[in-house]
Structure formats: structure tokens, C-alpha cells
Amino acid sequence: MTAVPVVIGVRAPHVDSGPRTAGPAAGLGGGLVDTHGRVHRDLRISLTDRCSLRCTYCMPEQGNEWLARTSILSTDEIVEVAEVAAALGIRTFRLTGGEPLLRADIIEVVRRISRIEGEDGPVEVAMTTNGISLAQKLPALIDAGLTRLNISIDTVDRQRFADLTRRDRLDDVFEGIAAAAASELRPLKLNAVAMRGVNDDELVDLVEFAMSVGAQLRFIEQMPLDSGHTWDRASMVTREEILASLGERWRLDPVEGRGGAPAEKWRIDGGPHEVGVIASVTAPFCGACDRLRLTADGQLRNCLFSLAEYDLTGLLRGESASAPGERADEIAALLRSCVHGKLPGHAIDDPSFLQPARGMNAIGG
């Protein structure tokens, strides 16, 4: 098939909820290697474009156009794609949104993906969340097989949080972080977008908060992924500015062995605490990128900034008359086509760069 791009509790013990499965995709063989030699091992699956916050750098407070509920992939459809991806070498599935905890069947999604066997054994299920409702759902998520967690928090100031997110929910986020810190999920990572004139005076405070709960703070350069397309490179807080600010407070020693991880890491005053910076704009890591994305409405993307998408919904929703095993082959072919079309980099600094039409909440973090 030829694809055409279309521009606060302690951890609960895990209970095995059934046999692991590789599904009809077992035996597909071969990895997902692009034309630049990058082997893809990470699939980020967006479960919804909806969110419980309205962060100013992501989406407007009102007037958002949400995906039609009928277009959102079902759990069966997500698992079908995940089984094929695992057979092709994907080892980590990161659940994102929007806000993934808004998905009503989030526990079932985690449970069923965690039961998939990849070529190297059980796959890993991670999640990125804003932390709202996490405290209530975390024990069940861990029991279902969740293994890693990233929580977004851009400020620890109550009024600033309300202004930035347009919601007074900081206590809920703190409660979710406390629950995660009390669990055995490690490493626990907190993500913060660094923004000039918004929280750039709070970088040290954010790191100190992360250290106090045993988490690693990861600063993210603000990227051109807002739904309003108002991103301005000149107003972005750069990697060098972040490191300079933190360097006034601590000695930062580079941590070797980054591999394909998006964050560069530094050891704080010799350790054990670390801080990371994801500098997608000023120090892109495209050369080692091993990630693909699946949007909530079934579109494959080979880059966060891609203008092309590869539609899986036709295969998943009966437009193909293939038997299940044949459909697995077709899904695999589409995954390979998506990987084959991956460019060497995103070219944000190139004058010809065009921002994707979708905002971050619709693409998936």
C-alpha cells in the first residue's frame, strides 16, 4: 500500500490482568528505520485533543474547535496499531493529549497496551499529564501497568498559575505530584515551558520544588505550536539563558549518554539531583530522534513539526476488506511509509519554516 501524506498513595502492587499478546502483527519483522539511519522505538499516542486547562501558550480560553468525538480512535483501534508498532520495534508508548486523564477509559487503554509483547519483551507505557485528577487515578494506572510519568507545571505561584492556565487548579496539580512522588514510578519528571516575562524569574524556584519531591525538572523552550500561531522566537527563553540563570545558583555538570532522549541533562552540584533542558529550537536533537506520533483522530506524524500526516483511519474502520492478519501488514506498511518520509530536521530556524496547522493539543505532546 502506498501512503499519501495529507498536508496520594504508595504505589499499588501490579496485578497481571491477563496474558500478554503480540496480536496478529507477530512475526512482521524488521524495524522502523528512516532514510537517515534513525531507528524508531517510541510512539506517542494522543488520546484526546481536549484539556482541563487553557494555557495561554497552547490554546485560547474559548472558541476552540475540538475533534469530533466520532473521529477519536477507540481503544480497540489504538491497541491494534500498538501491536503492529511493537512488532516493528517500538518499545515505549507515551500517552498524551490534550489531557490523557480526560479519557474515560484511560485505565483500560494503559492495561491493554501494557500487555503487549514487543520483540524485546513487554513494552513500556508512559504518560504526560497536567496532573489534575492524577491523585485519584494513579493507583489504578499503576496497577494497569503504567511505568513512567511526566507532569507539566510551569509555575509554583498560585496567581501566576491561574493567569497562565486560566484555571485555579494548582492545588490539584500539587496533589497529583505528591501522589506520584509517593509512588515507585521513577524517574519522575516535571516539565516546564520557559517563557519570557511569565516565569523566567522562577526557574530556580521550579528546580528547587522538583528536588523537594524527588523529581527531575525539565525546561522546554517554547515552540511554534500554539493554536493561535502567535509564537515569536525573539520572546523565547533559550537554552543558554536557562543554563545561565541556573548557573548563578548551582554548579551544573553535563550528564553523558543522552542517546535519543529529547532532554540534555546536567547534574546539580555534583548530584544526586539533575535538571534537563529540551532545546528543540536553539539546539535541536533531530539527528537522534526515534519518535513517531499518532493523533487522537488516527493520523500518523513523523515529526512534531511535520506538515504531512498519514491516515490510518481508512484501514482501521473497514474501508479495507483485508483479514486481520493482512490488515496488520497494511498498518505496518503505513508506519514504514511514515518513517521513510521523515526529513532530517524540522528547520525552525529556516526562513521557509511553516508552523503546523494543528496546535500542540491536537498533535499530542
Side-chain angles (χ1 to χ4, degrees):
M1 175 180 177
T2 301
V4 180
V6 289
V7 177
I8 287 249
V10 177
R11 173 176 176 168
H14 176 66
V15 178
D16 190 355
S17 55
R20 296 187 180 275
T21 176
L28 281 176
L32 293 170
V33 186
D34 68 17
T35 58
H36 307 283
R38 295 170 293 197
V39 181
H40 291 71
R41 301 184 177 91
D42 184 307
L43 177 61
R44 306 197 168 196
I45 301 175
S46 176
L47 301 182
T48 178
D49 63 329
R50 296 171 187 264
C51 189
S52 41
L53 300 177
R54 295 291 183 272
C55 295
T56 56
Y57 58 84
C58 185
M59 67 177 79
E61 183 173 13
Q62 297 178 342
N64 292 284
E65 295 185 7
W66 308 114
L67 294 172
R69 293 189 182 276
T70 54
S71 73
I72 303 297
L73 293 183
S74 69
T75 298
D76 285 344
E77 291 167 338
I78 290 170
V79 171
E80 185 174 0
V81 176
E83 287 176 343
V84 174
L88 294 176
I90 295 294
R91 299 174 184 172
T92 301
F93 295 89
R94 176 169 293 278
L95 306 179
T96 69
E99 172 47 49
L101 293 180
L102 290 180
R103 176 112 178 185
D105 61 348
I106 181 63
I107 307 301
E108 183 66 10
V109 173
V110 172
R111 178 176 291 111
R112 292 184 60 186
I113 294 179
S114 71
R115 288 166 54 186
I116 296 173
E117 286 277 357
E119 57 183 6
D120 298 319
V123 301
E124 183 177 55
V125 183
M127 181 183 294
T128 298
T129 172
N130 62 27
I132 295 174
S133 82
L134 179 63
Q136 295 74 32
K137 296 179 180 179
L138 186 59
L141 288 167
I142 294 174
D143 183 64
L146 185 70
T147 54
R148 285 195 291 121
L149 192 61
N150 290 17
I151 304 172
S152 300
I153 180 168
D154 297 320
T155 177
V156 291
D157 179 87
R158 188 173 309 281
Q159 186 56 54
R160 183 173 287 177
F161 183 92
D163 293 340
L164 180 61
T165 68
R166 305 184 178 106
R167 300 289 188 273
D168 185 12
R169 304 297 297 273
L170 184 58
D171 285 343
D172 297 312
V173 178
F174 282 156
E175 187 179 3
I177 292 172
S183 77
E184 295 176 18
L185 295 183
R186 292 295 184 275
L188 174 61
K189 298 175 183 178
L190 306 184
N191 295 342
V193 177
M195 293 164 281
R196 193 177 309 281
V198 177
N199 65 351
D200 55 338
D201 62 342
E202 206 177 344
L203 305 185
V204 168
D205 293 340
L206 283 162
V207 174
E208 288 181 334
F209 171 72
M211 291 193 296
S212 74
V213 296
Q216 177 193 119
L217 201 292
R218 307 194 316 168
F219 290 106
I220 302 172
E221 287 184 339
Q222 188 174 358
M223 296 176 282
L225 289 167
D226 60 302
S227 59
H229 291 210
T230 60
W231 180 82
D232 178 8
R233 193 187 193 289
S235 66
M236 180 190 70
V237 181
T238 68
R239 166 186 179 274
E240 294 306 316
E241 290 175 296
I242 293 168
L243 294 176
S245 179
L246 300 180
E248 294 178 1
R249 173 66 174 80
W250 299 290
R251 187 182 84 248
L252 302 177
D253 301 315
V255 176
E256 303 299 328
R258 176 182 180 181
E264 294 178 88
K265 293 190 294 184
W266 287 264
R267 196 166 290 109
I268 299 173
D269 281 348
H273 298 292
E274 296 176 346
V275 64
V277 178
I278 300 175
S280 297
V281 179
T282 65
F285 41 90
C286 302
C289 180
D290 64 352
R291 288 170 294 286
L292 296 173
R293 284 177 166 78
L294 177 62
T295 67
D297 58 345
Q299 306 300 310
L300 282 170
R301 299 175 63 91
N302 55 32
C303 176
L304 188 57
F305 303 98
S306 177
L307 300 179
E309 295 183 338
Y310 298 73
D311 183 19
L312 273 169
T313 55
L315 293 177
L316 296 170
R317 297 194 168 174
E319 293 178 22
S320 167
S322 304
E326 295 173 342
R327 191 161 69 189
D329 289 337
E330 293 176 335
I331 294 171
L334 195 58
L335 281 161
R336 289 192 173 108
S337 292
C338 181
V339 169
H340 187 269
K342 190 166 184 171
L343 298 175
H346 54 56
I348 289 177
D349 281 334
D350 192 285
S352 64
F353 174 78
L354 294 176
Q355 182 173 337
R358 291 186 190 245
M360 187 68 165
N361 67 299
I363 295 173

